[in-house]
Structures are given as structure tokens and as C-alpha cells.
Amino acid sequence: MYPFRINIVSLFVLLFLSTAFFAQEKTPSKKEITLLAKEANHYMKEGHFEKSLVKARIALHYAITIKDDNLIASIYNTIGANFDELTEFDKAFFYYNKGLIYADRTNNYQLKNWLYNNLGNIYCFDKKQYEKGIVCYKKSLEYCEKTNDFGQTVFTKLNIAWAYFDIGDFDKGLPYLNYINQHHKKYGDASTLVALNMLNGMYYGYKNDTEKAHIFFQNAIRLGNDGEEKSDLSFSHQEYSKFLLKNGEFQKAYENLALYNSITAKLNYEEKLKKANVAGINLEIDRYKREIDNIETKYKTKQYLLLEKQSKNKKISIILISLLLLIIILFYFLFQNTRLKQNNKLKDLQSKIQENIINASINGQEQERKKIASFLHDNISALLSSAGLHLNVFTSQNQSSPQEILKTKAILAEAHDKVRDLSHELMPTLLARFGLFYALEDLSEKNSNSVIQFRYSSPVPTKTRYNEEFEMKIYFIISELLNNITKHSQANTAKITIQENNKALQIHVYDNGKGFDPAHFNTLEGFGLNQIQARINNLKGGISIDSKQNSGTSIYIVVPIAHK
């Protein structure tokens, strides 16, 4: 019991000194921490696990303090390897995984290779979870290839082949075995020769090539007896025993199985001695784990508070910036909206002014038409008629009239007819005397010829009368539309339909001509459509144009009726 107590006392002293050391000493440099980590690794390789773990604990504390992910991952790997050697596989597995968390933050491919390889060994040899182990080995292989470490590549591929062979998947393991056989001489080392010969023996046993299988298994056993790889030697005896049993060589199979058991028992005994030599660590393993976890927890707590503060400040900054951007965007859109509204109002005002100018011009023209027509009809035409009457009286009283008198009568009759025609053109007599529908019927008939026929129809009685000014405006709108059809449409048929509906006059004018693009409505100045639009707007009505190239044109007009 004496050595046992000495080890416990020494561990407590080391832990106490290390704690006091943390409290009193300032944080060493990265170079000094790296040296501590190397010492811990050296102690582990020499089998001094107590010293290695304590050194690793001190190094880990400082590595976490300076936030060096590479050092932290490396030290966790050393701690995991110590527990691996002490056959504390669960704890080794735990620290390898912690090391991997930090290694993944670095570009240290070699360290990642070691950690994944160590995890693969635990999965395959201790947990017997071969699929997970193979995944880890393959990740390890990726990092070997990135560093061009051919020696480590050979070693990792040997592990993958062994894992596949253990689960009987020889076809998947064969490419890895072929690679090792090809490159082991150049890049491999003596420590893997036993395992390599054993794997070849397993493969040829699977292929039933008994001669080659015997040779490789016997080579593996011979090399194992000559060297230090006793664990691989025990596995070689075990696999050789399986092969011999399969081939009916029961005596030899039993002998090799006995040798496997003997070597395994010896290895187990050596492991027990190893643990006995570090009894203090065995008793204080959980406390050590708590110490290690406590170091990281304190670091994480400080780091969490710092990150939380940074995150809070970041969120506040993001919110403020977002609000500022939102205000700027809203202000921009508000400004643009106000500007757009002002532009629209200006355009509407300009349009209204232009429309009022057009309407005023049209109204003026219509009033002038009416005045001139009335003046021509009531005055000029009456005077010409009176002059003609006097000449008729003169000629009737004289048997023979001079040639000049007869010519004057003819000129007066012609002038009278032209004045009458001009008066009717300016203000149709039918429109004034009989109303809109008589005038439109007459207008359709007068515009028809051998090239184009205008057909007029309306269910409204022809004697229906509206406000005189309203009738005049509607008449000239339709007259302008018929004039456009005659000049521009190249149609041979046109229809005018008028009906009353809901106290509104509905007018439909259709032609089968060449049509036009309504999108260019505003550019069709020659058609007089803008003036027509202005007239209809003045009447509080609406106009719709449906036209396509070579498909004719339909114009729909709706205006509220203005009665007398």
C-alpha cells in the first residue's frame, strides 16, 4: 500500500502547486506554453502518465487563456492519448472530440489527421462501431493527402483495410490493401509489417488461396515474435486460427488460438501493471476531468459574456442602422411620391388647360359657324333672293331683256345656291329644324358613294330632340369620325349605331378598314381624335377605341344626355 499512498500524495501536491501557480504567475508566452505541451506529450510517450496529465492541464489552462485553438486542440489530443494508454476509452473518446472542435477552427491538417485517426481506432477496436470508424479513418485520409504525408497515408489506409476486413467486406478493403502493398516499402515502417502480413493472409484466406494465406500469416507471426508489436501478433494468431479452422486444420487452429489467449492475457496483465503504476491518477481521474472541464467552463463563461455583450452591441447597431436606412428609404419614397403627385397634378392641370383651350376653340368655332350660317341664310341669301325677284319682275314687264340682265339673273341664282349650300354645311338645316337623328341619317346618306357605304341605324325615334347645343356637338363629333373613315380607313363599309341607355347616349361607329394601333392614339393628330376626345370630355362622356392592324376599327362613345 505504501507506493499507492505516495502516488496519491504526489498527485495532490502537483494539483495544489499547479493551482497556486495559476494564481501567482502571469500568463506565459505562446512559446513557453508550447514547450509545456511538448513536455506533456514527451511524458506520455515515456509512460509517465501522471506527469503528462498534470503538465497537460497547466498547458491547457494557459492555451485557453491566450485563445490559441491550435494549442488547445493539440493538448486535448495529448490528454485523450493518455487516457487511451490507460484503457479509459470513454474519456479518451471525449477529449479527442473536444480537440476536434478546436482543430476544426484551424488549418492544422496534421492535427486533424491524428484526431480522426485516434477516434477511428476507438470506434473500431473498442466500440466495435466499424461504420463510424471507417468514416473517421477516411476523414483522416483526406488530411493526409492534403499534407502529402505518404507515411501517414499508408498507415491510415492500413487501418481502413483492417476495418473492412473485420466486417468481412474484403472487396471494399482490397484497394486500400493494394495501395499499402505497393507503397509500404518506400513509405511504411517496421511497426506495421506484422499487421500488413496479417491482412494479406486474411485476404488470401477469403479468396481460398491457402498457400499464400499460410505464407503471409506465418510471416506476420515470425515478425511479431521478433519485434515489439505484440498486440498485432495476438491478432495474427487469432486470424490464423480462424483460417486454419475454416480449412479443417483443427490442431494448428487450437495451437494458434491458445497462443492468442496467452499473448492477450499477458497484454492485459501489462495494462493492469500500467494502471497500478499510476494508481493516484486512477483514483483521481474524475476529479481531473472536472478540473479540465472547469478550466474550459470559466473560459467559456467569460467568452460567452464577452460575446453576449458584443452580440448585444451588434444588435443595437444593426437596429439603429436599419432604422436609419428605413427612415431614409421612407423619406426618399415620400419625397418621390410627393414629387410624383405634383407632376401628376401639373400634367392634369396642363391637360385640363389644353382641353379647355380646345373646347373653347371648338365652342367658338361652333358659335361662329352658327352665326355665319344664320347670317348667310337670313341676310345674304334673303338679299340675293330679293335681287333675283326684282330682276324677274323686270324681265316679265319687258318683252326682250338685254343679255346682261339674263346673265345677272343666272349669276345671282348660282350665288344663292352656293350661299345656301355653305350655310347648310356650316349648320345643317335638318339639324336645326328636325333634330340630331334626321341630320345624322342625312349625313350618312350624303357621305356614301361607290367606294364606301355608310349604314345608319337607331332605335330612338327620329323626332326625338335634345338640347340644341348638345345636338350640335354630337353631330360634329360623328361628322368628324365619318370624315376620318372616308379619308384614312380604306374601308368599303361603315356603320353608325345610336341608342339611349340609362339617360346616356351610346354611339358606336365601326368600319372594316385597315385599322391602326390605339397605343399611338395621342400621336394621331391627323385623325382629329384629340379634338374629339376633348369634345367628349367637355360633355362629361367617355370614348373607347378598339382597333388592330388590318382588322377594322370600333369606336364606342357614351355621353350623358342634355335635354331641352
Side-chain angles (χ1 to χ4, degrees):
M1 292 296 291
Y2 182 73
F4 177 84
R5 289 180 179 176
I6 290 294
N7 282 328
I8 294 175
V9 171
S10 64
L11 178 63
F12 276 122
V13 168
L14 284 168
L15 289 173
F16 175 77
L17 289 174
S18 65
T19 304
F21 183 72
F22 296 153
Q24 295 174 10
E25 295 294 325
K26 65 177 183 179
T27 303
S29 65
K30 181 179 176 179
K31 185 177 180 181
E32 291 170 321
I33 300 168
T34 304
L35 185 60
L36 274 173
K38 286 181 178 178
E39 287 177 7
N41 196 47
H42 175 74
Y43 280 131
M44 181 200 68
K45 289 179 179 179
E46 293 293 320
H48 302 301
F49 304 114
E50 281 182 84
K51 291 181 179 180
S52 176
L53 286 167
V54 172
K55 283 279 185 185
R57 177 181 178 275
I58 297 168
L60 180 65
H61 170 81
Y62 289 128
I64 287 174
T65 302
I66 66 170
K67 302 176 184 177
D68 190 310
D69 291 328
N70 196 64
L71 267 174
I72 296 168
S74 178
I75 295 164
Y76 271 132
N77 185 53
T78 300
I79 294 170
N82 271 285
F83 284 120
D84 212 341
E85 290 291 335
L86 293 167
T87 64
E88 292 285 345
F89 301 117
D90 287 338
K91 291 179 177 60
F93 181 77
F94 175 80
Y95 286 110
Y96 287 145
N97 273 308
K98 285 181 82 72
L100 198 55
I101 292 169
Y102 289 93
D104 282 338
R105 300 173 187 171
T106 73
N107 293 322
N108 192 335
Y109 298 141
Q110 187 180 50
L111 182 56
K112 292 178 186 180
N113 165 36
W114 292 342
L115 285 162
Y116 274 114
N117 210 28
N118 290 336
L119 285 168
N121 288 338
I122 291 178
Y123 273 124
C124 290
F125 292 103
D126 301 307
K127 293 180 176 287
K128 302 301 179 185
Q129 297 176 10
Y130 288 97
E131 289 184 4
K132 291 182 179 179
I134 290 168
V135 169
C136 287
Y137 283 143
K138 287 183 177 180
K139 289 290 289 185
S140 173
L141 189 61
E142 287 179 22
Y143 292 116
C144 290
E145 290 169 351
K146 285 181 179 179
T147 56
N148 294 320
D149 189 339
F150 297 106
Q152 192 66 22
T153 300
V154 167
F155 179 74
T156 306
K157 288 196 174 187
L158 185 141
N159 282 336
I160 296 172
W162 195 338
Y164 275 126
F165 285 9
D166 262 0
I167 58 176
D169 202 340
F170 289 92
D171 291 333
K172 286 186 178 178
L174 179 60
Y176 298 97
L177 180 62
N178 287 337
Y179 181 91
I180 305 160
N181 285 330
Q182 183 180 353
H183 297 95
H184 188 275
K185 187 174 182 180
K186 186 174 182 180
Y187 300 112
D189 57 47
S191 66
T192 55
L193 273 173
V194 177
L196 178 57
N197 278 276
M198 178 195 72
L199 292 175
N200 277 290
M202 290 172 71
Y203 178 73
Y204 285 112
Y206 159 72
K207 298 297 286 185
N208 295 319
D209 190 339
T210 55
E211 184 179 350
K212 287 185 177 179
H214 275 298
I215 292 170
F216 279 112
F217 276 126
Q218 288 168 7
N219 279 342
I221 292 167
R222 176 179 57 78
L223 290 167
N225 285 322
D226 292 343
E228 300 294 328
E229 302 301 319
K230 300 304 177 186
S231 178
D232 290 348
L233 175 61
S234 70
F235 286 122
S236 297
H237 279 298
Q238 184 187 35
E239 294 300 330
Y240 193 29
S241 172
K242 291 178 185 178
F243 166 74
L244 291 168
L245 186 64
K246 175 186 171 184
N247 287 280
E249 298 183 49
F250 303 112
Q251 181 62 35
K252 285 186 178 181
Y254 174 76
E255 290 172 1
N256 277 275
L257 184 60
L259 287 168
Y260 163 74
N261 289 329
S262 173
I263 297 168
T264 303
K266 187 177 179 181
L267 290 171
N268 288 337
Y269 178 71
E270 288 176 357
E271 284 182 1
K272 287 179 182 179
L273 287 177
K274 190 188 294 182
K275 283 190 176 183
N277 289 332
V278 287
I281 287 293
N282 287 329
L283 288 176
E284 292 297 323
I285 264 176
D286 290 333
R287 179 178 173 182
Y288 181 85
K289 183 175 179 298
R290 287 195 297 272
E291 288 283 340
I292 294 293
D293 291 344
N294 189 46
I295 291 170
E296 193 174 46
T297 301
K298 286 179 181 177
Y299 163 70
K300 281 186 175 179
T301 302
K302 290 179 182 178
Q303 188 183 41
Y304 175 77
L305 290 172
L306 180 62
L307 289 173
E308 190 179 46
K309 187 176 180 181
Q310 289 175 344
S311 177
K312 189 175 180 181
N313 292 337
K314 188 177 180 181
K315 285 178 182 177
I316 292 170
S317 300
I318 290 170
I319 290 168
L320 289 173
I321 292 168
S322 299
L323 284 172
L324 182 61
L325 287 173
L326 184 62
I327 290 167
I328 291 170
I329 291 167
L330 287 173
F331 179 77
Y332 174 77
F333 279 112
L334 183 64
F335 172 75
Q336 290 294 333
N337 190 44
T338 305
R339 186 177 177 183
L340 184 63
K341 284 181 179 178
Q342 289 175 345
N343 287 338
N344 288 338
K345 282 182 180 179
L346 183 61
K347 285 181 180 177
D348 290 342
L349 186 61
Q350 288 174 343
S351 178
K352 194 69 178 176
I353 291 170
Q354 187 178 6
E355 191 175 298
N356 289 337
I357 291 170
I358 292 171
N359 282 321
S361 175
I362 291 168
N363 289 335
Q365 288 175 8
E366 288 173 352
Q367 292 298 324
E368 287 301 314
R369 276 171 175 261
K370 191 174 179 181
K371 285 180 181 179
I372 293 169
S374 178
F375 178 76
L376 290 173
H377 184 271
D378 297 338
N379 295 306
I380 305 300
S381 183
L383 289 172
L384 290 172
S385 295
S386 178
L389 182 62
H390 286 296
L391 285 174
N392 284 332
V393 171
F394 175 79
T395 55
S396 64
Q397 291 177 351
N398 296 283
Q399 291 294 328
S400 60
S401 299
Q403 189 68 26
E404 287 76 8
I405 295 296
L406 295 176
K407 285 184 178 181
T408 302
K409 282 179 65 178
I411 290 168
L412 286 172
E414 184 180 352
H416 180 270
D417 290 341
K418 287 185 177 180
V419 167
R420 184 193 61 197
D421 290 343
L422 178 59
S423 174
H424 288 173
E425 188 177 337
L426 290 170
M427 180 58 65
T429 304
L430 284 175
L431 179 64
R433 290 184 179 180
F434 301 104
L436 176 66
F437 298 101
Y438 276 110
L440 289 177
E441 192 173 346
D442 181 65
L443 181 67
S444 298
E445 187 178 343
K446 284 181 178 179
N447 279 277
S448 296
N449 52 47
S450 60
V451 177
I452 182 169
Q453 287 293 317
F454 287 95
R455 297 175 186 174
Y456 168 81
S457 66
S458 175
V460 182
T462 53
K463 61 182 180 180
T464 303
R465 295 302 303 267
Y466 304 124
N467 176 278
E468 184 181 352
E469 187 177 342
F470 174 77
E471 287 185 340
M472 185 171 60
K473 290 180 183 295
I474 296 297
Y475 177 85
F476 285 119
I477 287 170
I478 295 174
S479 177
E480 186 68 29
L481 290 174
L482 299 190
N483 189 45
N484 283 341
I485 292 170
T486 302
K487 287 182 178 179
H488 306 292
S489 72
Q490 297 179 10
N492 56 33
T493 301
K495 295 178 182 179
I496 305 100
T497 304
I498 304 178
Q499 61 183 6
E500 287 185 4
N501 188 18
N502 294 328
K503 298 181 180 180
L505 206 62
Q506 295 180 341
I507 304 166
H508 177 208
V509 179
Y510 164 78
D511 71 73
N512 65 350
K514 64 181 182 179
F516 63 91
D517 186 358
H520 300 149
F521 174 83
N522 292 326
T523 63
L524 299 172
E525 294 293 341
F527 285 13
L529 290 176
N530 284 336
Q531 289 193 2
I532 292 170
Q533 176 79 65
R535 288 179 178 183
I536 292 167
N537 289 344
N538 192 38
L539 293 170
K540 311 297 182 186
I543 182 170
S544 171
I545 300 174
D546 182 13
S547 183
K548 291 182 181 178
Q549 293 287 343
N550 303 316
S551 296
T553 302
S554 283
I555 298 177
Y556 299 89
I557 299 171
V558 179
V559 289
I561 296 170
H563 292 283
K564 289 183 180 180

